[in-house]
């Protein structure tokens, strides 16, 4: 498809896959039109339809039926909407199944999943080559990206501040097994050509990392124009301010679609077992070589993990982060299970009070609660 033939939807990544997803929706939804969420502001959305840009909210029914916050649309989602006659507004009725979703645990005492961005092909994990460089944080981001279904790429930014970036590349490659690692500098216009294979027309790339890592600067540099405002960083710890306050899609001159996300001081993981196993595949492989299948890697004889720690082939700090993250994910799973149990118990009480529940249905609730 030539640029002259590109419609607003195709510009933002509409293709045969999404057309098929829309066609498979129930018959009553056939009158709705497809749109992509390009920005989110609390419960308000900016969307792109075949007719161009509009604002949107979800219907009351959608909000009522949503089981959790992750059921609501996020930036990058494809949705089916009903345009309001004579207005540049629409209401969102349906969410098309996601191909990928970068998520995190939302802050708060009640566990809930927050979708950072959806339908992402590649995630650029940004870490600056200054005092804020942190291998353990990169491991954490890798877990979330592998879990999302997108492909991770690590960008070490601000290479102009570092005398020997090769040293840092080696440190990252030791933990980011098989993940591309690139050194870039917007100030020196260095490394842009290495990223062109990912910046393909119709493909969506998300940028994530801490404040001050250079996400907005990277977006402006790759686009050749100031799409996002940037701010300086604190000298004492090289940390930045939250310049980006919301997630938003941008179309680059070459046709790639990019998502800039607000910086996160700490990425709270959510239900990331598969991502955890992929990010720490080397330790998982070592565990399979232990003499005992239930080895805890403490004092057991024939422990391949302890042997690797002793001979230096496994970095002690990496293993410590592995164990810390393993405990964290187990804690999240327990809290989520407890929350589900409380919700089931509350539902059972409400149903009994209403007198509209059969004994068999109530017994099923009790059974579900025990699982």
């Amino acid at each position: 498809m030539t640029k002259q033939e590109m419609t607003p939807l195709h510009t933002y990544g509409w293709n045969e896959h999404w057309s098929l997803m829309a066609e498979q929706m129930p018959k009553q939804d056939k009158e709705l039109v497809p749109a992509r969420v390009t920005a989110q502001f609390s419960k308000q959305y900016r969307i792109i339809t075949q007719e161009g840009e509009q604002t949107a909210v979800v219907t009351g029914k959608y909000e009522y039926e949503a089981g959790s916050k992750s059921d609501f649309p996020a930036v990058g989602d494809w949705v089916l909407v009903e345009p309001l006659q004579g207005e540049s507004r629409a209401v969102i009725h349906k969410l098309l199944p996601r191909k990928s979703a970068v998520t995190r645990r939302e802050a708060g005492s009640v566990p809930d999943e927050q979708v950072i961005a959806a339908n992402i092909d590649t995630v650029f994990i940004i870490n600056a080559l200054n005092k804020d460089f942190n291998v353990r944080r990169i491991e954490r981001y890798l877990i979330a990206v592998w879990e999302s279904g997108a492909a991770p790429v690590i960008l070490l930014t601000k290479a102009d501040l570092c005398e020997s970036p090769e040293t840092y590349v080696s440190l990252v490659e030791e933990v980011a097994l098989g993940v591309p690692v690139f050194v870039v500098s917007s100030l020196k216009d260095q490394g842009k050509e290495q990223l062109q294979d990912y910046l393909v027309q119709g493909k969506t790339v998300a940028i994530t990392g801490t404040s001050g890592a250079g996400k907005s600067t990277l977006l402006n540099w790759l686009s050749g124009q100031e799409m996002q405002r940037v701010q300086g960083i604190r000298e004492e710890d090289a940390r930045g301010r939250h310049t980006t306050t919301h997630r938003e899609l941008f179309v680059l001159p070459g046709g790639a679609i990019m998502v800039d996300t607000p910086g996160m001081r700490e990425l709270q993981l959510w239900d990331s077992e598969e991502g955890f196993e992929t990010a720490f595949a080397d330790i998982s492989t070592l565990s399979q070589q232990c003499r005992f299948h239930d080895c805890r890697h403490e004092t057991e004889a024939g422990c391949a993990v302890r042997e690797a720690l002793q001979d230096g082939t496994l970095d002690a700090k990496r293993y410590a982060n592995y164990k810390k993250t393993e405990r964290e994910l187990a804690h999240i799973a327990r809290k989520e299970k407890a929350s589900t149990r409380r919700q089931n118990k509350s539902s059972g009480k409400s149903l009994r009070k209403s007198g509209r529940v059969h004994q068999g249905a109530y017994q099923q609730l009790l059974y579900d609660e025990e699982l």
Side-chain angles (χ1 to χ4, degrees):
M1 181 178 291
T2 65
K3 288 192 175 182
Q4 286 76 17
E5 298 171 324
M6 291 282 282
T7 66
L9 280 183
H10 287 98
T11 299
Y12 278 85
W14 184 259
N15 55 32
E16 291 182 2
H17 169 83
W18 297 114
S19 181
L20 180 61
M21 290 294 101
E23 288 174 4
Q24 293 176 350
M25 298 301 282
K27 183 181 292 186
Q28 62 267 28
D29 298 325
K30 296 297 184 183
E31 300 302 317
L32 303 175
V33 300
R36 193 172 198 186
V37 177
T38 60
Q40 180 181 0
F41 310 90
S42 185
K43 293 186 177 182
Q44 299 281 333
Y45 300 91
R46 187 188 304 148
I47 62 172
I48 195 79
T49 70
Q50 195 77 338
E51 303 303 319
E53 189 175 274
Q54 296 183 341
T55 58
V57 295
V58 299
T59 65
K61 180 182 178 183
Y62 190 121
E63 187 165 4
Y64 177 77
E65 293 180 347
S68 66
K69 290 186 177 180
S70 61
D71 292 331
F72 284 88
V75 170
D77 267 324
W78 287 99
V79 293
L80 296 180
V81 307
E82 176 188 0
L84 299 180
Q85 194 72 24
E87 301 184 44
S88 60
R89 297 188 301 131
V91 286
I92 299 171
H93 287 259
K94 297 287 183 179
L95 177 71
L96 294 184
R98 292 165 174 151
K99 289 179 66 176
S100 64
V102 182
T103 68
R104 67 173 177 178
R105 183 184 184 275
E106 189 173 53
S109 57
V110 180
D112 205 351
E113 180 182 26
Q114 179 187 26
V115 179
I116 299 172
N119 302 315
I120 305 301
D121 296 294
T122 304
V123 177
F124 286 168
I125 301 173
I126 310 299
N127 203 148
L129 291 173
N130 57 18
K131 295 177 183 178
D132 199 37
F133 178 81
N134 190 313
V135 172
R136 305 283 80 85
R137 188 189 300 127
I138 290 174
E139 287 176 334
R140 198 169 182 83
Y141 276 98
L142 281 170
I143 294 171
V145 176
W146 281 127
E147 186 70 24
S148 75
V153 172
I154 297 171
L155 303 187
L156 301 181
T157 60
K158 306 186 179 182
D160 48 282
L161 301 177
C162 181
E163 293 183 358
S164 56
E166 303 81 13
T167 302
Y168 294 92
V169 171
S170 297
L171 290 173
V172 174
E173 287 179 339
E174 287 176 5
V175 302
L177 308 177
V179 177
V181 182
F182 300 111
V183 174
V184 299
S185 169
S186 58
L187 187 64
K188 290 186 175 181
D189 196 27
Q190 171 189 345
K192 187 182 293 186
E193 66 285 348
Q194 301 175 94
L195 308 182
Q196 295 310 307
D197 288 344
Y198 307 100
L199 304 177
V200 178
Q201 182 175 301
K203 296 295 184 180
T204 304
V205 179
I207 313 173
T208 190
T210 58
S211 301
K215 299 186 301 301
S216 296
T217 300
L218 179 75
L219 173 62
N220 293 341
W221 176 52
L222 293 176
S223 67
Q225 54 188 297
E226 189 169 349
M227 289 187 164
Q228 286 283 62
R229 185 170 57 90
V230 297
Q231 290 184 354
I233 60 173
R234 299 193 302 257
E235 291 295 333
E236 63 270 20
D237 59 3
R239 291 293 184 89
R241 303 178 183 87
H242 293 285
T243 306
T244 304
T245 57
H246 64 277
R247 288 168 284 279
E248 186 170 358
L249 289 182
F250 298 90
V251 179
L252 300 186
I257 304 132
M258 189 159 279
V259 186
D260 191 10
T261 65
M264 291 176 281
R265 285 281 181 257
E266 184 178 359
L267 175 63
Q268 296 287 341
L269 298 174
W270 175 267
D271 192 18
S272 304
E273 185 176 345
E274 290 185 18
F276 174 72
E277 291 295 329
T278 304
F280 290 102
D282 55 333
I283 298 178
S284 297
T285 300
L286 283 171
S287 298
Q288 294 169 9
Q289 299 170 15
C290 293
R291 181 181 300 177
F292 305 106
H293 74 277
D294 59 348
C295 183
R296 299 179 63 185
H297 319 308
E298 294 177 351
T299 59
E300 297 89 344
C303 174
V305 173
R306 301 304 304 177
E307 290 175 4
L309 286 168
Q310 290 168 9
D311 64 23
T313 54
L314 175 58
D315 180 71
K317 290 182 179 179
R318 174 167 171 78
Y319 181 66
N321 196 35
Y322 167 86
K323 295 299 291 183
K324 176 185 174 183
T325 308
E326 185 180 50
R327 291 191 298 271
E328 178 185 348
L329 292 177
H331 176 68
I332 291 171
R334 288 194 300 271
K335 289 193 72 174
E336 186 182 1
K337 186 175 181 180
S339 177
T340 302
R341 188 183 300 119
R342 286 193 298 270
Q343 290 173 5
N344 285 345
K345 188 175 293 184
S346 176
S347 298
K349 288 179 180 178
S350 299
L351 288 169
R352 280 181 291 158
K353 280 185 177 181
S354 68
R356 294 193 298 267
V357 64
H358 295 293
Q359 184 65 21
Y362 178 59
Q363 290 299 325
Q364 183 64 45
L365 277 170
L366 293 180
Y367 174 75
D368 291 342
E369 179 185 329
E370 292 172 359
L371 292 180

